Amino acid sequence: MEYRITDDIDELKRVLPPELTEALNRLGHTDDLLEVVLDLGRVPTARYVDGEVTLSDQEVARLDLDSIVSNIGVFDADNRAGLERTLHRISAIRNRRGDVVGLTCRIGRAVYGTIDIIQDLIESGQSILLLGPPGVGKTTLLREAARVLAETKRVIIVDTSNEIGGDGDVAHPAVGKARRMQVSRPDRQHEVMIEAVENHNPEVIVIDEIGRELEAMAARTIAERGVQLIGTAHGTALENLMLNPTLSDLVGGIGAVTLSDEEARRRGTQKTVLERKAPPTFDVLIEIQTRNRLVVHEDVAASVDSILRGRPLPVELRTRNEAGEIIVETIQPEPTFGMNERSARDGSGTRPARRAAPRGEVSELRPSEIGGRGQALSVYAYGVARNRLQQAARRLRVPLTIVDEFSRADAIVTLKNYYRRRPKLIVDAERRGTPIYVLRANTQSQMENFLVDIFELEESGSLNPFGNAMDEVKMAIRQIRAGAEYVDLSPQESHIRRRQHEMAHRAQLASESYGDEPRRFVRIFRNGE
């Protein structure tokens, strides 16, 4: 894709006082110019990517401000104005009487070819939120995304401040074939978002600066109607959005939940914990750190859940070097949000790549590959409840260690729905040849089945009490088939009894549990008796 910049900087220079235009010409480097700042009674300055420069020793006079205002026309309700057929934005600061006492002239650029760093995500059909501080290039990426998608899809831009498509009734050529709906007042942005969906049959809605609760609600409505949504919001990281009471709904919302005593003990947490309240509006979140450095959260729901539990998932770091090459790597962020370490025992991980499953389905991950009977095994849990997996390992008395870094794992264990999404971590694991085991559900029995298969527990009853209990079931099945009316097994813990019931049912026999803990036992008999 061709990389080029269109900034129409000469159009902005025409409305500035001549001495400021001359100063900008002397400085040059207009490609790095961010904005020109003019405040009454202060010297004018130009802000560049790498710093701020004074344009004149003369303070800005009211006559200078009035001259610029007369050249650019009327300010909208949000105190922003623009120049016809350009992307520049001029914002006013007013005193209590409504007089303009300051101007911020933001340079608007159409940068063609910059979308290549996230083009695969933009074209995936998923709803994407671009997050970053002011001036980092969110709108530039958004405009280029609209242009690229409009080549093959019906794209509507909801342009509140005319910053995406430029000022005037005719949209700037930088938006390509995308259609643009202007917003008369900022507080009507959410209404125009809904109107765009209902009236113009879009496949993609592009919206800049989601900042109010009604806009967040409108965004959720659009996403739930099957329309791809690409938007921006102010912030520096996903954690900022989670803490923002106005916009947290974009990532599912955060609420306090009171657990039962049993569930709190199972999780190893306090009774009151933070949980995600709903599915996120956006599937993917991109943190724009600089113009050439982005952090990608490919699964917002999983990322939010893991952050709340104090064990953030690995994220994708994308950078563009000086030669224009895009470098993609996976990094493990440090926990900066959420509950303490003990509360994080229910953390999630990533999704893996070889087919392995519940009892009755044979996995490609065999004990000979990663350990087998009696050998220690390190696993990385991606989307699997760590505390349940640890409890299952303790109950079965197997040497399992759950590691925090996927690069140190002998194998990856994940859930079926995570595996199907094919995140980069899973793809990388496949390329490295790391064994992957996929569970059908996040349940205790599924995890025990996984451990039984990997450690070959049922092959020898001499290994541990679990193996002895399984051998007892096999003997009871043979006795029933030989003519015995029923067989009572030895008392066992609940997780072992559950496995005994499963073995009986697979043998097409009936089973029931009798007695009180800790002497509760399983009775096996023929169906119908």
Side-chain angles (χ1 to χ4, degrees):
M1 184 179 296
E2 181 188 2
Y3 181 86
R4 59 190 175 91
I5 299 176
T6 302
D7 57 14
D8 300 312
I9 191 68
D10 291 335
E11 296 297 324
L12 178 63
K13 289 178 180 178
R14 288 194 185 99
V15 304
L16 298 177
E19 60 273 17
L20 298 187
T21 299
E22 293 175 6
L24 289 173
N25 291 335
R26 287 195 303 270
L27 290 170
H29 305 294
T30 55
D31 287 350
D32 295 327
L33 180 62
L34 296 179
E35 55 193 17
V36 176
V37 177
L38 306 170
D39 287 329
L40 183 64
R42 295 182 178 179
V43 294
T45 59
R47 292 174 178 170
Y48 290 84
V49 173
D50 55 356
E52 189 169 319
V53 179
T54 299
L55 295 178
S56 172
D57 294 333
Q58 298 294 321
E59 295 179 350
V60 176
R62 185 170 296 280
L63 184 62
D64 297 323
L65 297 178
D66 292 342
S67 173
I68 297 174
V69 170
S70 64
N71 287 332
I72 62 176
V74 180
F75 286 91
D76 292 330
D78 56 357
N79 275 317
R80 292 178 178 180
L83 300 175
E84 186 83 16
R85 305 296 294 272
T86 75
L87 301 174
H88 305 309
R89 186 186 78 189
I90 302 174
S91 303
I93 297 176
R94 299 179 183 273
N95 61 17
R96 287 185 294 179
R97 295 186 299 275
D99 300 325
V100 175
V101 295
L103 293 173
T104 302
C105 306
R106 173 77 66 85
I107 311 302
R109 293 183 177 87
V111 185
Y112 298 86
T114 56
I115 202 65
D116 55 351
I117 195 169
I118 56 170
Q119 188 164 352
D120 58 323
L121 300 173
I122 295 295
E123 294 179 343
S124 68
Q126 300 180 94
S127 291
I128 298 173
L129 180 64
L130 304 175
L131 188 69
V136 79
K138 298 187 300 296
T139 305
T140 301
L141 275 177
L142 197 65
R143 185 184 303 114
E144 181 69 352
R147 184 187 69 82
V148 171
L149 287 176
E151 295 295 327
T152 56
K153 295 184 177 181
R154 300 185 299 274
V155 179
I156 295 289
I157 298 171
V158 177
D159 206 355
T160 304
S161 301
N162 287 350
E163 196 172 356
I164 302 177
D167 205 47
D169 294 335
V170 180
H172 194 278
V175 301
K177 297 179 181 179
R179 304 178 70 191
R180 188 210 8 199
M181 295 181 66
Q182 298 186 33
V183 182
S184 59
R185 300 191 313 274
D187 58 3
R188 289 198 64 246
Q189 178 170 284
H190 65 285
E191 297 176 4
V192 179
M193 292 167 66
I194 300 300
E195 180 184 336
V197 176
E198 294 178 343
N199 291 355
H200 302 290
N201 191 30
E203 294 176 286
V204 182
I205 293 286
V206 174
I207 175 70
D208 197 13
E209 294 186 18
I210 300 174
R212 298 177 175 86
E213 187 174 1
L214 289 175
E215 294 160 13
M217 294 172 61
R220 175 173 292 279
T221 300
I222 291 172
E224 289 175 351
R225 295 188 187 190
V227 177
Q228 181 183 3
L229 182 64
I230 303 178
T232 67
H234 284 157
T236 57
L238 174 57
E239 289 88 342
N240 299 140
L241 215 54
M242 294 166 60
L243 291 169
N244 187 327
T246 303
L247 299 181
S248 64
D249 185 61
L250 297 176
V251 293
I254 309 300
V257 176
T258 302
L259 306 175
S260 66
D261 292 338
E262 181 181 353
E263 179 67 9
R265 283 195 300 270
R266 185 185 66 76
R267 292 193 182 193
T269 68
Q270 299 175 349
K271 291 190 64 175
T272 302
V273 298
L274 296 177
E275 295 281 356
R276 177 170 51 85
K277 296 190 293 187
T281 300
F282 291 90
D283 306 305
V284 179
L285 184 138
I286 301 173
E287 299 171 3
I288 306 177
Q289 297 180 347
T290 68
R291 296 187 179 187
N292 295 311
R293 181 183 172 92
L294 313 175
V295 171
V296 178
H297 297 267
E298 288 189 287
D299 187 334
V300 173
S303 292
V304 171
D305 293 344
S306 64
I307 289 172
L308 287 174
R309 290 170 173 82
R311 293 183 180 274
L313 294 182
V315 296
E316 195 173 88
L317 175 64
R318 300 188 179 191
T319 56
R320 184 189 288 109
N321 61 21
E322 294 180 356
E325 299 171 332
I326 297 172
I327 301 170
V328 180
E329 55 185 317
T330 301
I331 61 173
Q332 179 67 54
E334 292 294 327
T336 58
F337 181 96
M339 298 145 65
N340 57 34
E341 182 68 19
R342 188 170 175 218
S343 304
R345 297 293 172 81
D346 193 30
S348 303
T350 18
R351 194 176 53 229
R354 273 192 212 168
R355 182 59 205 251
R359 247 359 221 173
E361 294 186 43
V362 179
S363 166
E364 293 181 28
L365 178 62
R366 301 313 307 157
S368 59
E369 296 182 62
I370 58 171
R373 190 181 307 131
Q375 288 188 262
L377 174 66
S378 297
V379 301
Y380 182 84
Y382 186 36
V384 174
R386 295 167 59 98
N387 70 315
R388 295 182 192 175
L389 188 57
Q390 289 171 331
Q391 289 173 3
R394 285 195 296 267
R395 286 175 178 174
L396 300 182
R397 301 182 185 179
V398 295
L400 180 79
T401 302
I402 301 176
V403 296
D404 295 332
E405 299 178 12
F406 64 93
S407 59
R408 294 170 43 212
D410 298 321
I412 296 176
V413 59
T414 188
L415 300 178
K416 188 176 181 180
N417 62 323
Y418 282 93
Y419 174 64
R420 285 176 172 173
R421 299 173 193 169
R422 307 292 297 163
K424 187 175 184 297
L425 184 142
I426 295 305
V427 174
D428 289 346
E430 288 178 326
R431 290 173 180 167
R432 293 196 305 265
T434 303
I436 298 172
Y437 203 99
V438 183
L439 306 183
R440 190 168 54 190
N442 213 351
T443 63
Q444 195 82 33
S445 62
Q446 289 283 298
M447 297 174 193
E448 290 173 0
N449 290 338
F450 158 64
L451 296 175
V452 166
D453 283 347
I454 293 305
F455 289 98
E456 301 177 344
L457 296 184
E458 292 184 3
E459 295 188 7
S460 172
S462 62
L463 286 175
N464 51 49
F466 181 85
N468 290 328
M470 297 302 103
D471 284 346
E472 187 180 10
V473 178
K474 295 174 183 176
M475 180 62 71
I477 291 172
R478 287 196 290 269
Q479 291 174 343
I480 297 295
R481 288 173 174 170
E485 183 177 352
Y486 65 87
V487 175
D488 289 340
L489 306 180
S490 302
Q492 301 290 349
E493 296 181 17
S494 60
H495 71 282
I496 295 181
R497 293 199 305 270
R498 183 166 58 248
R499 296 282 298 152
Q500 291 175 328
H501 285 300
E502 290 177 0
M503 291 184 67
H505 295 165
R506 286 202 299 272
Q508 297 183 338
L509 298 177
S511 62
E512 293 288 346
S513 293
Y514 294 93
D516 299 322
E517 300 289 358
R519 303 296 301 170
R520 193 165 175 79
F521 63 91
V522 172
R523 173 175 294 175
I524 299 178
F525 47 90
R526 289 188 182 88
N527 281 318
E529 294 189 2

